[in-house]
Amino acid sequence: MTSPTPQQPHSASPAPLPPHLTESTDVPQQAQQAQHEQQASRESQPPQETPAPYQETRIERVIGRAFGRVTSRAMAPYQTAVIRIGFSAAWLLFLLREWPHRQTLYGPDGPWSLDMARRLLDANHAFSALLWSDGRGWFEIVYLLAIAASAALMLGWRTRTMSVLFMVGVLSLQNRSVFIGDGGDNVIHLMSMYLVLTRCGQVWSLDARRAKRAESAEGERPARDLPGVVLWAVLGLGLAVAQLSGGHGLNWFDNGPFPHIGWSLVLWGLWATHGLWWAVRRYAPGEPRIVLDTLAKLAHNGALLVIMVEVCLIYATAGWYKIQGTRWQDGTAVFYPMHLDYFSPWPGLSDLLGSNGLMVMLLTYGTVIVQVAFPFTLFNRRLKNVLLVVMICEHLSIAFLLGLPFFSLAMIAADAVFLPTNFLTWLSARIGGLRKRLFSRGGPGAGAGSGAGVPPARTEHGGDGHTLVG
């Protein structure tokens, strides 16, 4: 037997791998190929631009700056101080002059009876504390409180509280006899309500001097202020007694200064706001104090704007009504009051001016021109200041020639809202220097008066001076 012929080994392809091994080895290659394809597609696409940052428009920037200005500081501190002093002094002097006639003007002896006053105030929703009682003693108390509040507000003592009492005194007396008064009384009537919302005691006040001393002694934390707490508690107790006794006009949601807001809600709201303000300043000097301070600045600046608009409306309406009058058109309107005995405290001087036809014509036309043109010159500093001087001289001449001193003083106080800040700071420095010379015996600190801690001369008006109040 022969052995079988040995077979030569042949090179053959390797045996196929199991399916699961084949798939597992192909996965990395497929993933790498897909990654290359994605990268190639990204490179082929155009690059995407990153979004540009948001840019504010010009209107947005203006609105932002304006909002920051009205909420960061209480503007025009000197002007509001002059308004406070002027109106409180005018009302105080009027009450003192009419002291012998007070019972006839506003008291029980007047021709306008208490019942008639109540019916009228029920119709026009006005307020008067004199209607709470018809007794003579109550009238004397209200009259004396009105005098005290006017004097305290003029000196700047507890201006927040005294501004409310000043408003109550003005409204109570003027609304008791609505047919007594003139245009100056109407201006004081309106401004007494606006002053409640202003920070009118920042400068030239006893409050400013007390705040300066407290800050230098104890830092930012205010003192306990026991007199202020007692005053706040006494006023709250008095208002509660009047409310519980059914004082006339003290309604919560009817017959008030605004729809669905009565005088009780207004007075109690002011009382609670003052207490909240003191508590926050004393015990919460953080964010709550910042929020309330911002709201107070916003209210101050809003009230200041309303005062400026009110003054412009007074002059604009007076001027345009004069234009429609025939006596003002022919230039003879000033002649007639100069020849009335009631408006002639100096008959000889009135006759001298009234007999000069050229002078009468110049005074008549000049009055109309100044009153009509004043609102249009507010944004030009030089023209505004010139017209301010002219109007102040006009009111002084009315006080001297026509015998209307309180009307003129009220209008001059209203005009003071447009006085330049530089002039008021210059005046403050001169008064401070005079006070130091007069009280030099008291030592170097004797001259630190109510103007201590005043804001700088330029209270951030932008530096150009072309503003409504400076």
Side-chain angles (χ1 to χ4, degrees), residues 193-263:
M193 293 183 284
Y194 301 151
L195 282 176
V196 174
L197 301 176
T198 63
R199 286 185 164 183
C200 53
Q202 298 180 91
V203 298
W204 297 344
S205 65
L206 298 177
D207 288 346
R209 183 173 64 177
R210 186 179 68 252
K212 180 66 175 180
R213 291 178 176 177
E215 182 179 356
S216 61
E218 302 184 12
E220 296 183 358
R221 185 182 178 114
R224 188 174 297 275
D225 192 18
L226 182 60
V229 175
V230 173
L231 180 63
W232 179 78
V234 170
L235 292 178
L237 179 61
L239 184 58
V241 171
Q243 186 77 51
L244 295 176
S245 61
H248 186 273
L250 290 180
N251 301 319
W252 289 99
F253 304 104
D254 295 321
N255 297 338
F258 304 102
H260 309 294
I261 297 179
W263 283 104

Side-chain angles (χ1 to χ4, degrees), residues 375-394:
F376 300 99
T377 62
L378 293 181
F379 296 96
N380 189 300
R381 179 182 56 178
R382 295 181 179 178
L383 286 179
K384 182 257 296 182
N385 293 339
V386 170
L387 285 187
L388 271 178
V389 174
V390 173
M391 288 192 300
I392 291 175
C393 293
E394 175 188 349

Side-chain angles (χ1 to χ4, degrees), residues 115-178:
D115 181 64
M116 297 170 66
R118 285 176 175 172
R119 285 187 290 175
L120 179 61
L121 267 60
D122 288 338
N124 59 16
H125 302 168
F127 171 81
S128 177
L130 290 176
L131 303 186
W132 296 350
S133 174
D134 56 354
R136 189 178 299 269
W138 174 244
F139 168 77
E140 297 292 346
I141 291 174
V142 173
Y143 201 91
L144 290 175
L145 286 178
I147 293 177
S150 301
L153 184 63
M154 183 180 64
L155 297 175
W157 184 77
R158 311 287 175 180
T159 51
R160 286 192 178 92
T161 303
M162 292 304 141
S163 63
V164 178
L165 294 180
F166 177 74
M167 177 192 69
V168 172
V170 171
L171 298 182
S172 298
L173 292 174
Q174 289 189 355
N175 290 335
R176 173 63 178 82
S177 299
V178 294

